[in-house]
Structures are given as structure tokens and as C-alpha cells.
Amino acid sequence: MANVTSRQNPLYKRIRRAIDEHADEIVIEGPKAVDDAIARGWKAIHVLHRDVDLSPALFDSLAETKTPQSVIGLFARPSFADLFSDRDRIVVALDAVQDPGNVGTIVRLAAAFDATGVVLLPGSADAYGPKAIRASVGAILTVPVVSMSREELLARDWPLFVADGSGKAIDPPSRGAVIVFGNEGGGVSHEIAECATKIAIPMTKKVESLNVAASAAILLARSYALRSWGRTPSSARAAKQR
């Protein structure tokens, strides 16, 4: 491949479009991240090197990090099997979580605490955007992420649980359920709220609420602990009473 020096080059435009839109094609930056994606079976369309395939000026204009990492990979957006085929674990859903840093962090938490995958409901930042990918610290390569409408999620007929200060201080579900995290300012949508069991996180009165990623860390860690110990959480009894 000849060294590309023009912003009018079709390949440069294709990569720029993938960074801006992250639709059918997405961009991963850095040699380790690109190698890890290929090792995980992601389909690499192009792997481009600074000063070899792209001029330094063009490469740096595409790089999202302050210190470019010399390699950019263009990949086909991965597809995944049904997240709801495994009732021995939980599914994480994000309802209009708009900050890509929070989305990426929760993807990382889903990996850390062995969730089946992450569902992005309308209004959520894309987990395959550059900022979310960086926030996931590589976890995006291991966690299935799919987009669904709220109606599609509800049609799955899995018990839903949401973090809400007005709920009961009960344990989160350990398996066979969806834990939904809502918008940073407004919480979950009305459609989800009216079908979900509310879980309050026990804490002092010194703060009014927690960041959505902090709430996810607490609930997903507790869910994983219960699953590992083989215990039935109190949330199962609460769901049956709805």
C-alpha cells in the first residue's frame, strides 16, 4: 500500500467516516488493541501504520489519543448470538446512558463480573465509539454488545431490575435477569421503570446519588458474588411479588 498523503484519498475518507459514524465499520487504535482484536476473531479490513501507510500528518488527524500509537485498525462491526440464551448469568442494559466514558466503563464491568453481554437501548452512546472503546480498556473485545429497542427488550420477558434510590435495599439478581442502568440525569425510561423491580444501594445520607458507573460497579460485583457463591438473592423473591 502506497503512503497516503491526501485527505481526499478514499481510504482516508473511509476511516474518517468509520470514526465519526462507527456504523458497519469501526476503528481501533494502538498495536496491542489491534492485535488483540484480530486474535479474538474480529475481521480486520485494513491495518494502517503511521509513516508507512499514512503520512504522519494524516495519521495524527485520525488518532483519538494525544500521543498517537502508530497503528490504526479498520474492522467490520462484530455481530453476536442471542445474549438471552444463557440464563445462568445476567444481562446488562443501558437505557439512554449518554456518556461514552460511562458506557465503556460499564462494558468493562460487564466483563469483570461475567455478564452475558450489554444491551444498548435508544439514547445510549455507542460502545464502539472511540471514547467508549478506550474507557473499556480492551473489554469491548470480549463482551458482546447489541442494540435493541425497549419494546424488544421487554418482549424477552426477563425480569428487569434498576438501581433507584426509592427502591428496597435488596440484593441484585444473580442470574436469569436484566440489570438496567439509566440516564445520568433522568434514570431509566418510563417504559422500563414500570416493568422493573427497583433496587436501592445502601449508603449514608452524605451523598444524594451515585454516578451510573459507580452504581454498576456495586450491583454487578454483588451479583457476581452471589452467582459464585450459589446463593439466591432477595431480589428473586421481590420479583415474584410484583
Side-chain angles (χ1 to χ4, degrees):
M1 181 187 297
N3 186 288
V4 176
T5 60
S6 171
R7 290 175 182 263
Q8 301 308 311
N9 182 278
L11 179 57
Y12 174 87
K13 289 183 175 181
R14 183 176 180 179
I15 296 170
R16 181 75 265 170
R17 184 167 58 252
I19 290 172
D20 292 340
E21 299 176 2
H22 34 97
D24 294 332
E25 297 178 347
I26 60 175
V27 170
I28 294 178
E29 184 178 344
K32 184 179 185 305
V34 170
D35 287 345
D36 287 347
I38 293 172
R40 293 282 181 181
W42 285 35
K43 181 182 177 181
I45 300 169
H46 291 287
V47 176
L48 306 173
H49 296 78
R50 188 178 189 269
D51 206 20
V52 176
D53 305 308
L54 293 172
S55 70
L58 282 190
F59 189 97
D60 294 352
S61 72
L62 293 172
E64 292 286 327
T65 54
K66 292 182 180 180
T67 304
Q69 300 185 59
S70 75
V71 177
I72 284 178
L74 179 68
F75 290 85
R77 188 184 184 102
S79 58
F80 300 101
D82 187 1
L83 302 188
F84 295 86
S85 61
D86 183 359
R87 285 189 174 268
D88 286 332
R89 294 186 286 164
I90 56 102
V91 172
V92 176
L94 305 184
D95 190 6
V97 175
Q98 297 175 334
D99 184 273
N102 284 334
V103 171
T105 298
I106 295 173
V107 168
R108 188 182 186 190
L109 291 167
F113 300 117
D114 198 32
T116 301
V118 176
V119 172
L120 299 178
L121 298 175
S124 294
D126 190 354
Y128 294 107
K131 291 182 180 179
I133 288 176
R134 289 201 303 276
S136 80
V137 196
I140 191 66
L141 302 176
T142 64
V143 177
V145 178
V146 300
S147 295
M148 298 179 71
S149 69
R150 295 180 182 90
E151 291 75 16
E152 287 173 325
L153 177 62
L154 293 173
R156 293 290 182 166
D157 199 28
W158 274 41
L160 304 181
F161 295 82
V162 300
D164 190 296
S166 65
K168 297 180 180 179
I170 58 175
D171 281 323
S174 59
R175 53 177 48 84
V178 183
I179 303 180
V180 186
F181 300 97
N183 177 270
E184 291 85 350
V188 299
S189 61
H190 174 71
E191 301 98 302
I192 297 297
E194 68 178 5
C195 298
T197 299
K198 296 178 180 179
I199 303 174
I201 298 173
M203 59 185 182
T204 71
K205 301 295 185 181
K206 295 179 181 178
V207 295
E208 182 178 343
S209 61
L210 295 175
N211 170 276
V212 63
S215 297
I218 293 169
L219 293 180
L220 295 182
R222 180 60 176 165
S223 173
Y224 177 70
L226 290 169
R227 189 159 60 254
S228 300
W229 298 336
R231 290 176 53 187
T232 300
S234 55
S235 57
R237 294 188 293 274
K240 290 180 180 180
Q241 295 171 0
R242 284 184 56 81

